[in-house]
Amino acid sequence: MTQKQTLTVRDNRTGDEYELDITDGAIRASDVGKIGKTEDEAGLAVYDPGFTNTASTRSAVTFIDGDKGILEYRGYPIEQLAESSNFLEVAYLLIYGELPTREQYERWEHEITFHTFVHEDIKTVMRGFRYDAHPMGMLLSSVGALSTFYPEARNITDEQIRHEQIVRLIAKMPTLGAWSFRHAQGKPYVYPDNDLSYAENFLSMLFRMSEPKYEPDPRLTKALEVLFILHADHEQNASANAVRSVGSTQVDPYSAVSAGIAALFGPLHGGANEAVLRMLKRIGSKEKVPAFIEGVKNGDERLMGFGHRVYKNYDPRAKIIKKACDEVFEVTGVNPLLEVAQELEKIALEDDYFVSRKLYPNVDFYSGLIYEALQFPPEMFTVLFAIPRTAGWLAQWIELVDDPEQKIARPKQIYTGGRELDFVPASERWK
Ligand code: ACO
């Protein structure tokens, strides 16, 4: 016998009963709104600050099972993509839903490479920032500014125009990210080198000086590709939600993506790996780890890079990054903080405090160590996250634009302020 997919609710204020449909494990908030609704009274609302249990969309982009530690892009396990794919192929998969044919991939790679340059006036915009401007502030402003260069981008229903903006955004993000880095260092901006791959070209724009051709170590390029793949999407996280929320107004994708960058800038989202690095430096040596762990258990400290709202198991991305660490350190020499990190992980994974709370390493636990080994200052860590996440933001954006169920994002509130007060003009109040 098939079970009835409904929920029966009794409103004890009135004794009325309601039967709500359950579809895909969810009830509709609009059905809840029918409960207790009369001509004079609004129906019941759902109060959920931070959307901890509210689905805002149906999505076929990314699947996460936090209890089992599973992450899949369009159904493909992250481990397989990190091992055998590259960032541009993964970006195509996320955005267009299918792995590209050889022809599609070659066209995609060509288009992205062709669009890596930015208008010279964008360079002028970037030059206008103070010498110590935070690179994330520069990135979000310059991406927002791109909308003024491509006014046709406002036509979001035209598939060809949409595709052109997607290509531009993915192509130009490394250029803007690298230039925001060079700006802080007072170094000349390096133009893209279209003979190089996506990751190689980014490294070239970051680090090239007077050499005629920049040739990054292939092991570093591979590590960067892997990091890019791991950060490309993570379903309805805060920045994807920002892109969707702003995108729901039907604004152009540059403006929507710059909202995503702004959300990522916040320390609760993109900034945790920097905090891990600071923590490891503060601990300083392997011998001091047990005392630090005691501090965490007493509530005096927090073990940064551990725990996750969704993953209640080892974050699958952390496992892959841990492996990438070894490859990077082969080239750069071992970061002495690795020993501290490994000891922390070993002790924490055996300790009942962490085991009982299901606290495992997350994506940020090891990524900061790699970024530091690659000589990035901490302010750049979030830029390195924003560049690949652009693919995910665009995949979420295009899904939103094509979804007939989506409406302008406009949550309800529970009003707690005063009502029907009599206004007294300033001239009388201040007498
Ligand atoms: N160190 C020590 N204790 C922890 C940690 C930690 N890193 N994380 C959670 N706990 C404890 C909490 O104190 C709480 O204990 P209690 O039940 O005794 O009160 C319990 O575990 C549950 O923790 P919550 O804070 O309720 O879990 P929540 O899902 O709200 O928080 C978060 C998740 C914010 C990621 C948290 O684990 C944390 O602060 N981790 C450190 C910061 C970090 O690494 N953030 C990066 C996340 S990945 C990303 O955003 C890309």
Side-chain angles (χ1 to χ4, degrees), residues 271-303:
N273 47 16
E274 194 181 327
V276 172
L277 210 64
R278 274 201 305 271
M279 174 190 76
L280 295 176
K281 284 187 175 155
R282 195 155 53 82
I283 299 173
S285 71
K286 197 176 152 183
E287 292 66 42
K288 297 196 179 137
V289 168
F292 179 82
I293 293 276
E294 276 315 302
V296 173
K297 287 160 66 176
N298 295 337
D300 303 332
E301 304 271 4
R302 186 148 271 244
L303 178 49

Side-chain angles (χ1 to χ4, degrees), residues 231 234 267-270 272-273 276 296-297 301-310 312 315 317 353-354 357 359 362-365 385 389:
H231 286 91
H234 212 229
L268 291 188
H269 191 5
N273 47 16
V276 172
V296 173
K297 287 160 66 176
E301 304 271 4
R302 186 148 271 244
L303 178 49
M304 300 310 289
F306 259 66
H308 196 277
R309 175 57 67 74
V310 179
K312 300 302 170 199
D315 181 336
R317 300 167 301 173
Y353 174 93
F354 299 93
R357 288 171 177 76
L359 301 172
N362 61 47
V363 69
D364 290 317
F365 192 63
F385 190 158
R389 184 52 63 87

Side-chain angles (χ1 to χ4, degrees), residues 249-420:
T249 66
Q250 300 189 349
V251 74
D252 68 87
Y254 300 102
S255 304
V257 166
S258 69
I261 301 173
L264 192 70
F265 196 178
L268 291 188
H269 191 5
N273 47 16
E274 194 181 327
V276 172
L277 210 64
R278 274 201 305 271
M279 174 190 76
L280 295 176
K281 284 187 175 155
R282 195 155 53 82
I283 299 173
S285 71
K286 197 176 152 183
E287 292 66 42
K288 297 196 179 137
V289 168
F292 179 82
I293 293 276
E294 276 315 302
V296 173
K297 287 160 66 176
N298 295 337
D300 303 332
E301 304 271 4
R302 186 148 271 244
L303 178 49
M304 300 310 289
F306 259 66
H308 196 277
R309 175 57 67 74
V310 179
Y311 294 116
K312 300 302 170 199
N313 203 323
Y314 212 106
D315 181 336
R317 300 167 301 173
K319 270 192 204 144
I320 301 167
I321 292 190
K322 201 174 160 189
K323 207 170 135 234
C325 271
D326 298 337
E327 281 145 33
V328 169
F329 294 157
E330 247 179 53
V331 185
T332 63
V334 174
N335 187 330
L337 296 175
L338 177 67
E339 210 182 41
V340 180
Q342 284 170 333
E343 186 68 5
L344 272 172
E345 182 187 338
K346 188 168 140 272
I347 296 185
L349 290 183
E350 288 167 357
D351 192 299
D352 189 54
Y353 174 93
F354 299 93
V355 175
S356 63
R357 288 171 177 76
K358 298 188 176 167
L359 301 172
Y360 293 88
N362 61 47
V363 69
D364 290 317
F365 192 63
Y366 286 105
S367 61
L369 286 175
I370 298 193
Y371 294 149
E372 196 185 54
L374 294 173
Q375 300 185 359
F376 288 111
E379 311 82 77
M380 272 301 282
F381 292 3
T382 323
V383 172
L384 291 158
F385 190 158
I387 292 170
R389 184 52 63 87
T390 302
W393 289 329
L394 290 168
Q396 302 285 342
W397 172 75
I398 209 163
E399 191 172 61
L400 163 100
V401 173
D402 277 342
D403 182 353
E405 282 204 317
Q406 288 297 318
K407 294 175 185 304
I408 184 166
R410 198 326 186 168
K412 263 182 122 88
Q413 64 167 9
I414 296 173
Y415 179 67
T416 59
R419 289 289 323 280
E420 298 182 0

Side-chain angles (χ1 to χ4, degrees), residues 16-91:
D16 292 341
E17 278 200 1
Y18 299 82
E19 193 172 345
L20 313 185
D21 286 332
I22 300 176
T23 311
D24 299 327
I27 54 168
R28 284 188 171 264
S30 58
D31 285 346
V32 175
K34 290 175 193 158
I35 297 174
K37 187 169 169 52
T38 64
E39 259 180 36
D40 307 319
E41 291 289 327
L44 206 61
V46 179
Y47 180 56
D48 187 8
F51 308 123
T52 56
N53 193 28
T54 299
S56 61
T57 184
R58 292 168 181 282
S59 179
V61 180
T62 290
F63 173 81
I64 299 176
D65 183 331
D67 291 327
K68 297 199 182 116
I70 295 174
L71 170 62
E72 293 170 0
Y73 294 160
R74 299 284 185 185
Y76 294 95
I78 191 69
E79 293 79 5
Q80 292 181 22
L81 295 171
E83 179 74 31
S84 315
S85 186
N86 66 39
F87 172 68
L88 281 190
E89 186 177 45
V90 167

Side-chain angles (χ1 to χ4, degrees), residues 105-307:
Y105 180 77
E106 284 172 0
R107 194 174 340 122
W108 175 244
E109 189 186 34
H110 174 78
E111 283 182 305
I112 303 277
T113 308
F114 189 78
H115 283 278
T116 48
F117 279 73
V118 295
H119 194 289
E120 281 294 293
D121 288 348
I122 278 284
K123 198 167 128 191
T124 312
V125 170
M126 294 186 82
R127 282 254 170 259
F129 281 94
R130 273 179 60 132
Y131 70 97
D132 58 354
H134 195 290
M136 277 298 275
M138 289 183 68
L139 189 66
L140 80 89
S141 318
S142 47
V143 170
L146 284 181
S147 75
T148 66
F149 290 78
Y150 308 108
E152 73 276 19
R154 291 203 289 271
N155 187 351
I156 60 164
T157 51
D158 183 309
E159 270 189 38
Q160 183 52 33
I161 291 181
R162 232 159 46 181
H163 174 75
E164 280 160 18
Q165 316 321 312
I166 286 170
V167 165
R168 283 179 175 138
L169 267 161
I170 293 189
K172 293 178 199 311
M173 283 294 284
T175 312
L176 301 175
W179 286 6
S180 65
F181 170 74
R182 303 282 296 200
H183 184 85
Q185 304 200 325
K187 289 181 181 156
Y189 298 178
V190 176
Y191 285 102
D193 179 343
N194 288 350
D195 291 337
L196 300 177
S197 73
Y198 191 79
E200 285 171 340
N201 175 46
F202 181 49
L203 288 167
S204 162
M205 291 186 290
L206 288 162
F207 299 122
R208 186 169 153 196
M209 292 305 290
S210 59
E211 63 273 41
K213 188 113 193 138
Y214 185 80
E215 285 173 11
D217 188 301
R219 288 168 296 182
L220 297 185
T221 314
K222 171 70 186 155
L224 195 61
E225 288 274 355
V226 169
L227 285 163
F228 277 4
I229 291 171
L230 299 183
H231 286 91
D233 194 50
H234 212 229
E235 52 121 305
Q236 305 310 313
N237 56 85
S239 57
N241 183 60
V243 170
R244 280 182 173 266
S245 184
V246 172
S248 76
T249 66
Q250 300 189 349
V251 74
D252 68 87
Y254 300 102
S255 304
V257 166
S258 69
I261 301 173
L264 192 70
F265 196 178
L268 291 188
H269 191 5
N273 47 16
E274 194 181 327
V276 172
L277 210 64
R278 274 201 305 271
M279 174 190 76
L280 295 176
K281 284 187 175 155
R282 195 155 53 82
I283 299 173
S285 71
K286 197 176 152 183
E287 292 66 42
K288 297 196 179 137
V289 168
F292 179 82
I293 293 276
E294 276 315 302
V296 173
K297 287 160 66 176
N298 295 337
D300 303 332
E301 304 271 4
R302 186 148 271 244
L303 178 49
M304 300 310 289
F306 259 66

